[in-house]
mmCIF file of all heavy atoms in Angstrom:
data_model
loop_
_atom_site.group_PDB
_atom_site.id
_atom_site.type_symbol
_atom_site.label_atom_id
_atom_site.label_comp_id
_atom_site.label_asym_id
_atom_site.label_seq_id
_atom_site.Cartn_x
_atom_site.Cartn_y
_atom_site.Cartn_z
ATOM 1 N N TYR S 234 -13.952 -8.657 -0.544
ATOM 2 C CA TYR S 234 -12.735 -7.964 -0.996
ATOM 3 C C TYR S 234 -12.841 -8.009 -2.538
ATOM 4 O O TYR S 234 -13.029 -9.023 -3.252
ATOM 5 C CB TYR S 234 -11.433 -8.806 -0.668
ATOM 6 C CG TYR S 234 -10.230 -8.179 -1.267
ATOM 7 C CD1 TYR S 234 -9.625 -7.033 -0.772
ATOM 8 C CD2 TYR S 234 -9.617 -8.689 -2.353
ATOM 9 C CE1 TYR S 234 -8.582 -6.468 -1.394
ATOM 10 C CE2 TYR S 234 -8.504 -8.222 -2.909
ATOM 11 C CZ TYR S 234 -7.980 -7.090 -2.445
ATOM 12 O OH TYR S 234 -6.969 -6.485 -3.011
ATOM 13 N N GLU S 235 -12.741 -6.740 -3.073
ATOM 14 C CA GLU S 235 -12.848 -6.547 -4.596
ATOM 15 C C GLU S 235 -11.473 -6.387 -5.126
ATOM 16 O O GLU S 235 -10.890 -5.291 -4.974
ATOM 17 C CB GLU S 235 -13.734 -5.318 -4.837
ATOM 18 C CG GLU S 235 -15.128 -5.489 -4.325
ATOM 19 C CD GLU S 235 -15.858 -4.142 -4.389
ATOM 20 O OE1 GLU S 235 -15.451 -3.171 -4.709
ATOM 21 O OE2 GLU S 235 -17.140 -4.313 -4.001
ATOM 22 N N ALA S 236 -10.923 -7.503 -5.569
ATOM 23 C CA ALA S 236 -9.574 -7.490 -6.232
ATOM 24 C C ALA S 236 -9.481 -6.500 -7.447
ATOM 25 O O ALA S 236 -10.444 -6.323 -8.228
ATOM 26 C CB ALA S 236 -9.186 -8.861 -6.702
ATOM 27 N N PRO S 237 -8.353 -5.814 -7.518
ATOM 28 C CA PRO S 237 -8.180 -4.938 -8.655
ATOM 29 C C PRO S 237 -8.290 -5.589 -10.001
ATOM 30 O O PRO S 237 -7.651 -6.677 -10.096
ATOM 31 C CB PRO S 237 -6.762 -4.227 -8.508
ATOM 32 C CG PRO S 237 -6.417 -4.571 -7.119
ATOM 33 C CD PRO S 237 -7.177 -5.770 -6.680
ATOM 34 N N GLU S 238 -8.947 -5.062 -11.014
ATOM 35 C CA GLU S 238 -9.031 -5.730 -12.187
ATOM 36 C C GLU S 238 -7.755 -5.499 -13.165
ATOM 37 O O GLU S 238 -7.384 -6.441 -13.796
ATOM 38 C CB GLU S 238 -10.266 -5.214 -13.012
ATOM 39 C CG GLU S 238 -11.625 -5.702 -12.388
ATOM 40 C CD GLU S 238 -12.862 -5.176 -13.119
ATOM 41 O OE1 GLU S 238 -12.725 -4.794 -14.333
ATOM 42 O OE2 GLU S 238 -13.910 -5.150 -12.581
ATOM 43 N N SER S 239 -7.194 -4.325 -12.969
ATOM 44 C CA SER S 239 -6.018 -4.081 -13.839
ATOM 45 C C SER S 239 -4.969 -3.277 -13.019
ATOM 46 O O SER S 239 -4.738 -2.071 -13.350
ATOM 47 C CB SER S 239 -6.352 -3.373 -15.172
ATOM 48 O OG SER S 239 -7.041 -2.228 -14.897
ATOM 49 N N PRO S 240 -4.386 -3.956 -11.960
ATOM 50 C CA PRO S 240 -3.391 -3.247 -11.214
ATOM 51 C C PRO S 240 -2.151 -2.986 -12.105
ATOM 52 O O PRO S 240 -1.909 -3.657 -13.146
ATOM 53 C CB PRO S 240 -3.102 -4.158 -10.081
ATOM 54 C CG PRO S 240 -3.352 -5.491 -10.657
ATOM 55 C CD PRO S 240 -4.541 -5.319 -11.608
ATOM 56 N N ALA S 241 -1.240 -2.039 -11.690
ATOM 57 C CA ALA S 241 -0.005 -1.707 -12.337
ATOM 58 C C ALA S 241 0.880 -3.014 -12.207
ATOM 59 O O ALA S 241 1.696 -3.310 -13.107
ATOM 60 C CB ALA S 241 0.666 -0.610 -11.665
ATOM 61 N N LEU S 242 0.647 -3.838 -11.130
ATOM 62 C CA LEU S 242 1.480 -5.061 -10.972
ATOM 63 C C LEU S 242 0.696 -6.013 -10.010
ATOM 64 O O LEU S 242 0.010 -5.534 -9.130
ATOM 65 C CB LEU S 242 2.838 -4.581 -10.296
ATOM 66 C CG LEU S 242 3.735 -5.771 -9.854
ATOM 67 C CD1 LEU S 242 4.332 -6.499 -11.137
ATOM 68 C CD2 LEU S 242 4.826 -5.348 -9.007
ATOM 69 N N ARG S 243 0.689 -7.229 -10.390
ATOM 70 C CA ARG S 243 0.160 -8.283 -9.498
ATOM 71 C C ARG S 243 1.257 -9.095 -9.034
ATOM 72 O O ARG S 243 2.103 -9.656 -9.827
ATOM 73 C CB ARG S 243 -0.838 -9.145 -10.347
ATOM 74 C CG ARG S 243 -1.766 -10.015 -9.413
ATOM 75 C CD ARG S 243 -2.774 -10.736 -10.225
ATOM 76 N NE ARG S 243 -3.547 -9.844 -11.152
ATOM 77 C CZ ARG S 243 -4.625 -9.091 -10.937
ATOM 78 N NH1 ARG S 243 -5.057 -9.043 -9.703
ATOM 79 N NH2 ARG S 243 -5.272 -8.351 -11.844
ATOM 80 N N ILE S 244 1.475 -9.283 -7.664
ATOM 81 C CA ILE S 244 2.467 -9.938 -6.899
ATOM 82 C C ILE S 244 1.792 -11.208 -6.468
ATOM 83 O O ILE S 244 0.827 -11.045 -5.623
ATOM 84 C CB ILE S 244 3.216 -9.146 -5.858
ATOM 85 C CG1 ILE S 244 3.929 -8.025 -6.555
ATOM 86 C CG2 ILE S 244 4.130 -10.044 -5.122
ATOM 87 C CD1 ILE S 244 4.547 -7.071 -5.557
ATOM 88 N N GLU S 245 2.262 -12.335 -6.743
ATOM 89 C CA GLU S 245 1.794 -13.572 -6.163
ATOM 90 C C GLU S 245 2.825 -13.999 -5.150
ATOM 91 O O GLU S 245 3.701 -14.857 -5.326
ATOM 92 C CB GLU S 245 1.613 -14.638 -7.243
ATOM 93 C CG GLU S 245 0.747 -14.092 -8.335
ATOM 94 C CD GLU S 245 -0.243 -15.030 -9.011
ATOM 95 O OE1 GLU S 245 -0.243 -16.351 -8.555
ATOM 96 O OE2 GLU S 245 -0.920 -14.607 -9.965
ATOM 97 N N SER S 246 2.636 -13.485 -3.903
ATOM 98 C CA SER S 246 3.724 -13.569 -2.863
ATOM 99 C C SER S 246 3.925 -15.053 -2.363
ATOM 100 O O SER S 246 4.940 -15.404 -1.764
ATOM 101 C CB SER S 246 3.469 -12.674 -1.720
ATOM 102 O OG SER S 246 2.299 -13.098 -0.992
ATOM 103 N N HIS S 247 2.942 -15.895 -2.633
ATOM 104 C CA HIS S 247 3.003 -17.279 -2.180
ATOM 105 C C HIS S 247 3.884 -18.110 -3.106
ATOM 106 O O HIS S 247 4.111 -19.256 -2.816
ATOM 107 C CB HIS S 247 1.583 -17.858 -2.062
ATOM 108 C CG HIS S 247 0.912 -17.748 -3.385
ATOM 109 N ND1 HIS S 247 0.401 -16.624 -3.922
ATOM 110 C CD2 HIS S 247 0.386 -18.817 -4.187
ATOM 111 C CE1 HIS S 247 -0.281 -16.821 -5.081
ATOM 112 N NE2 HIS S 247 -0.299 -18.198 -5.232
ATOM 113 N N GLN S 248 4.233 -17.461 -4.280
ATOM 114 C CA GLN S 248 5.064 -18.200 -5.233
ATOM 115 C C GLN S 248 6.561 -17.668 -5.359
ATOM 116 O O GLN S 248 7.176 -18.148 -6.200
ATOM 117 C CB GLN S 248 4.331 -18.149 -6.590
ATOM 118 C CG GLN S 248 3.048 -18.859 -6.609
ATOM 119 C CD GLN S 248 2.382 -18.855 -7.980
ATOM 120 O OE1 GLN S 248 2.790 -18.158 -8.839
ATOM 121 N NE2 GLN S 248 1.343 -19.667 -8.115
ATOM 122 N N GLN S 249 6.803 -16.671 -4.497
ATOM 123 C CA GLN S 249 8.221 -16.175 -4.531
ATOM 124 C C GLN S 249 8.584 -15.660 -3.162
ATOM 125 O O GLN S 249 7.699 -15.442 -2.259
ATOM 126 C CB GLN S 249 8.271 -15.066 -5.587
ATOM 127 C CG GLN S 249 7.356 -13.872 -5.390
ATOM 128 C CD GLN S 249 7.201 -12.910 -6.626
ATOM 129 O OE1 GLN S 249 7.533 -13.426 -7.776
ATOM 130 N NE2 GLN S 249 6.764 -11.750 -6.429
ATOM 131 N N THR S 250 9.914 -15.271 -2.949
ATOM 132 C CA THR S 250 10.353 -14.782 -1.644
ATOM 133 C C THR S 250 9.951 -13.403 -1.539
ATOM 134 O O THR S 250 9.643 -12.677 -2.559
ATOM 135 C CB THR S 250 11.834 -14.891 -1.518
ATOM 136 O OG1 THR S 250 12.467 -14.026 -2.564
ATOM 137 C CG2 THR S 250 12.399 -16.357 -1.792
ATOM 138 N N VAL S 251 9.997 -12.840 -0.311
ATOM 139 C CA VAL S 251 9.749 -11.397 -0.118
ATOM 140 C C VAL S 251 10.660 -10.577 -0.976
ATOM 141 O O VAL S 251 10.272 -9.610 -1.579
ATOM 142 C CB VAL S 251 9.994 -11.135 1.448
ATOM 143 C CG1 VAL S 251 9.901 -9.557 1.672
ATOM 144 C CG2 VAL S 251 8.904 -11.771 2.237
ATOM 145 N N GLN S 252 11.944 -10.998 -0.928
ATOM 146 C CA GLN S 252 12.956 -10.250 -1.780
ATOM 147 C C GLN S 252 12.560 -10.227 -3.311
ATOM 148 O O GLN S 252 12.704 -9.238 -3.901
ATOM 149 C CB GLN S 252 14.352 -10.794 -1.632
ATOM 150 C CG GLN S 252 14.910 -10.659 -0.136
ATOM 151 C CD GLN S 252 14.279 -11.610 0.832
ATOM 152 O OE1 GLN S 252 13.694 -12.616 0.517
ATOM 153 N NE2 GLN S 252 14.383 -11.292 2.128
ATOM 154 N N GLU S 253 12.113 -11.374 -3.791
ATOM 155 C CA GLU S 253 11.716 -11.438 -5.179
ATOM 156 C C GLU S 253 10.474 -10.460 -5.395
ATOM 157 O O GLU S 253 10.418 -9.773 -6.485
ATOM 158 C CB GLU S 253 11.411 -12.837 -5.625
ATOM 159 C CG GLU S 253 12.645 -13.720 -5.720
ATOM 160 C CD GLU S 253 12.353 -15.211 -5.811
ATOM 161 O OE1 GLU S 253 11.228 -15.679 -5.455
ATOM 162 O OE2 GLU S 253 13.155 -15.859 -6.354
ATOM 163 N N SER S 254 9.506 -10.451 -4.503
ATOM 164 C CA SER S 254 8.388 -9.656 -4.546
ATOM 165 C C SER S 254 8.807 -8.205 -4.557
ATOM 166 O O SER S 254 8.282 -7.372 -5.436
ATOM 167 C CB SER S 254 7.414 -9.918 -3.356
ATOM 168 O OG SER S 254 6.844 -11.237 -3.547
ATOM 169 N N ALA S 255 9.616 -7.823 -3.697
ATOM 170 C CA ALA S 255 10.158 -6.437 -3.633
ATOM 171 C C ALA S 255 10.861 -6.041 -4.899
ATOM 172 O O ALA S 255 10.751 -4.913 -5.344
ATOM 173 C CB ALA S 255 10.941 -6.183 -2.370
ATOM 174 N N ALA S 256 11.677 -7.024 -5.425
ATOM 175 C CA ALA S 256 12.404 -6.719 -6.577
ATOM 176 C C ALA S 256 11.564 -6.513 -7.879
ATOM 177 O O ALA S 256 11.793 -5.657 -8.660
ATOM 178 C CB ALA S 256 13.398 -7.859 -6.928
ATOM 179 N N ALA S 257 10.364 -7.251 -7.886
ATOM 180 C CA ALA S 257 9.439 -7.022 -8.897
ATOM 181 C C ALA S 257 8.818 -5.663 -8.884
ATOM 182 O O ALA S 257 8.690 -4.930 -9.923
ATOM 183 C CB ALA S 257 8.333 -8.035 -8.894
ATOM 184 N N LEU S 258 8.537 -5.206 -7.671
ATOM 185 C CA LEU S 258 7.931 -3.924 -7.404
ATOM 186 C C LEU S 258 9.031 -2.850 -7.795
ATOM 187 O O LEU S 258 8.745 -1.766 -8.447
ATOM 188 C CB LEU S 258 7.431 -3.735 -6.056
ATOM 189 C CG LEU S 258 6.596 -2.507 -5.721
ATOM 190 C CD1 LEU S 258 5.629 -2.110 -6.764
ATOM 191 C CD2 LEU S 258 5.910 -2.747 -4.310
ATOM 192 N N HIS S 259 10.233 -3.098 -7.402
ATOM 193 C CA HIS S 259 11.301 -2.134 -7.676
ATOM 194 C C HIS S 259 11.495 -1.997 -9.226
ATOM 195 O O HIS S 259 11.668 -0.918 -9.760
ATOM 196 C CB HIS S 259 12.675 -2.526 -7.068
ATOM 197 C CG HIS S 259 13.739 -1.623 -7.161
ATOM 198 N ND1 HIS S 259 14.500 -1.534 -8.206
ATOM 199 C CD2 HIS S 259 14.089 -0.624 -6.316
ATOM 200 C CE1 HIS S 259 15.468 -0.470 -8.046
ATOM 201 N NE2 HIS S 259 15.123 -0.010 -6.879
#
Side-chain angles (χ1 to χ4, degrees):
Y234 175 73
E235 299 168 356
E238 291 183 18
S239 54
L242 177 66
R243 193 173 313 277
I244 295 175
E245 306 217 4
S246 72
H247 59 293
Q248 296 181 347
Q249 57 192 23
T250 67
V251 171
Q252 293 75 21
E253 290 169 335
S254 295
L258 187 43
H259 189 274

